[in-house]
Amino acid sequence: MILVTGGCGFIGSAFILDWLAQGGEPVLNLDLLTYAGHLGNLRAVESDPRYRFVHGDIADGTRVAALLGEHRPRAIVHFAAESHVDRSIAGPQAFIHTNVVGTTRLLQAAHEHWSRLPPGEAQAFRFLNVSTDEVFGSLGASEPAFTEAHPYQPNSPYSASKASADHFARAWCHTFGLPVITTNCSNNYGPRQFPEKLIPLTIHNALAGQPLPVYGDGLQVRDWLHVGDHCAALRAVLERGRPGETYNIGGRAERTNLEVVHTICGVIDEARPGRTHAELIRHVGDRRGHDRRYAIDGSKIARELGWQPAVAFEQGIRDTVQWYLANAGWVESVTSGAYRRWVEQQYPALNAAA
Ligand code: NAD
Ligand code: DAU
């Protein structure tokens, strides 16, 4: 079996659903169910005998050690994190707790588990540390894309906490021999993404006829990857990746934020004719320390593991908008009072104008 951490979040749930749909072995999902974790994301596999959920904190080393001893996973796929940059600016401590302390406790428990395995199992064991391209910092408009050798230059509390986790993961591999692989992926989008991130927030607000907040000039660039492609890349890394290596994962889809928002508006104009949704765009104050551009050089994973993205960005956005249109109940269930309080705090200018 495999242990997945943070499996009730956006990418972790997509990974578990895909894994089980493809006939994968049993999964134990350890998740704290923060504001970003939703049991409903895994409703489709709730009664699958191969799936089991455990409510808990990755930073609880005793608990994690007991789970590893009881279930003896052959791999850990580590998604659990505080993942939203704006929340890391509003309150960095939770990011240090989960992303740094939590990851190191997990590494320590994994190492103790791994050192007790018989040689064959120890050799096959993998700790897959799911990380981000944000650890590399910001690129100028004409600079080449991030390779795996790019220096770490994190700029936000979120990216600093993920960079720290990556350094500890590397150290546990180098010093203690734990077979760790780290992946650094670009911006994901797709079904079940919490509507605090740009794409689901824009879809959610456009469908509700609410303003679409764009930070600063909106010309910041991100590389976008459909979450299903990310899951396929992670499966390839787990199967064929080399311990001690890192792999960049990207979507070959660099877009400015304004291009992304206009693409979504165009799709929603077709689905809900009668208004031009781009009229809802509002430029608001910029994110503090806002990284200008991320871009991924994905040649290593393509060359070594034969993985490349399959979903074209415009088609992926169409499918994602369709998912949100068909799943209004999911959106309703995750946009509780706490979500509304976050939106009020994060977008004061829009609330004042409303
Ligand atoms: P998410 O915020 O949607 O989900 C995080 C999950 O982790 C939630 O289910 C939450 O309950 C759980 N969690 C948080 N703290 C925990 C703790 N202490 N113990 C156990 N569980 C805890 O995040 P996501 O967007 O699915 O991202 C998953 C991973 O992928 C993160 O490590 C993130 O840094 C990385 N990543 C995300 C993106 C992206 O675009 N979303 C891109 C690259 C890398
Ligand atoms: O690059 C990978 C990272 O992508 C992941 O590691 C993070 O977990 C994930 O949150 C994401 O980080 P970003 O900060 O790039 O994503 P976000 O959706 O928050 O913002 C995307 C861009 O859109 C960024 O330039 C900020 C801008 N933005 C965002 C929001 C929420 C806006 O202009 N308006 C908004 O309201």
Side-chain angles (χ1 to χ4, degrees):
M1 59 92 66
I2 63 167
L3 172 67
V4 169
T5 71
C8 293
F10 163 52
I11 306 175
S13 60
F15 179 84
I16 293 175
L17 294 172
D18 272 11
W19 180 267
L20 293 176
Q22 306 218 2
E25 67 233 87
V27 175
L28 181 69
N29 171 19
L30 172 64
D31 195 298
L32 188 57
L33 295 180
T34 67
Y35 79 92
H38 304 281
L39 281 175
N41 287 352
L42 290 150
R43 193 127 299 146
V45 295
E46 233 163 40
S47 52
D48 187 320
R50 292 171 301 162
Y51 173 69
R52 183 157 162 209
F53 171 68
V54 175
H55 184 203
D57 188 343
I58 54 162
D60 181 348
T62 313
R63 182 92 189 280
V64 174
L67 286 172
L68 293 176
E70 184 187 346
H71 296 280
R72 298 173 56 84
R74 61 118 179 145
I76 297 175
V77 187
H78 176 38
F79 295 97
E82 289 291 336
S83 70
H84 190 34
V85 173
D86 292 322
R87 287 186 193 253
S88 82
I89 296 167
Q93 290 303 324
F95 289 71
I96 297 165
H97 171 80
T98 290
N99 301 0
V100 185
V101 177
T103 299
T104 56
R105 297 251 167 85
L106 190 65
L107 284 164
Q108 186 160 341
H111 174 241
E112 282 158 17
H113 164 66
W114 172 76
S115 23
R116 283 192 295 267
L117 293 174
E121 285 179 42
Q123 208 186 353
F125 186 84
R126 296 289 180 269
F127 185 111
L128 178 45
N129 174 47
V130 180
S131 189
T132 169
D133 60 358
E134 299 203 8
V135 297
F136 298 124
S138 186
L139 289 170
S142 55
E143 277 186 272
F146 301 130
T147 66
E148 287 76 4
H150 198 92
Y152 269 39
Q153 293 172 328
N155 290 319
S156 72
Y158 164 69
S159 53
S161 68
K162 292 292 291 185
S164 174
D166 293 1
H167 288 319
F168 279 113
R170 176 189 161 90
W172 248 270
C173 181
H174 186 83
T175 303
F176 302 117
L178 184 69
V180 175
I181 305 177
T182 290
T183 53
N184 295 95
C185 185
S186 61
N187 286 57
N188 284 215
Y189 68 95
R192 291 175 295 275
Q193 188 170 26
F194 192 69
E196 62 184 354
K197 310 273 166 73
L198 179 67
I199 287 180
L201 177 82
T202 301
I203 296 172
H204 173 260
N205 284 14
L207 292 176
Q210 289 167 2
L212 310 178
V214 170
Y215 297 157
D217 61 9
L219 298 179
Q220 304 82 5
V221 173
R222 297 291 182 267
D223 170 63
W224 294 96
L225 178 71
H226 191 272
V227 67
D229 274 339
H230 189 187
C231 293
L234 294 175
R235 285 197 304 274
V237 171
L238 200 54
E239 264 172 44
R240 306 188 293 282
R242 288 181 291 140
E245 292 291 320
T246 69
Y247 296 91
N248 284 358
I249 302 173
R252 297 181 184 161
E254 280 188 58
R255 300 286 186 281
T256 67
N257 293 339
L258 272 174
E259 284 171 332
V260 168
V261 173
H262 277 285
T263 301
I264 295 169
C265 287
V267 173
I268 296 182
D269 286 351
E270 286 172 26
R272 291 267 181 88
R275 89 179 289 173
T276 307
H277 291 84
E279 286 167 1
L280 295 166
I281 293 173
R282 298 286 178 277
H283 287 267
V284 298
D286 211 346
R287 173 184 278 175
R288 277 184 277 173
H290 201 169
D291 284 339
R292 195 66 181 168
R293 173 173 167 246
Y294 307 139
I296 287 276
D297 178 337
S299 51
K300 179 177 175 181
I301 191 168
R303 189 178 60 248
E304 290 192 11
L305 307 184
W307 177 87
Q308 53 186 359
V311 181
F313 179 71
E314 281 67 23
Q315 186 58 48
I317 288 293
R318 267 179 197 285
D319 296 348
T320 303
V321 168
Q322 281 310 322
W323 187 89
Y324 280 86
L325 281 167
N327 290 277
W330 180 91
V331 176
E332 178 78 17
S333 72
V334 304
T335 48
S336 62
Y339 173 74
R340 286 194 292 277
R341 281 193 294 284
W342 164 254
V343 169
E344 280 162 23
Q345 174 192 324
Q346 181 62 17
Y347 303 100
L350 296 185
N351 298 315

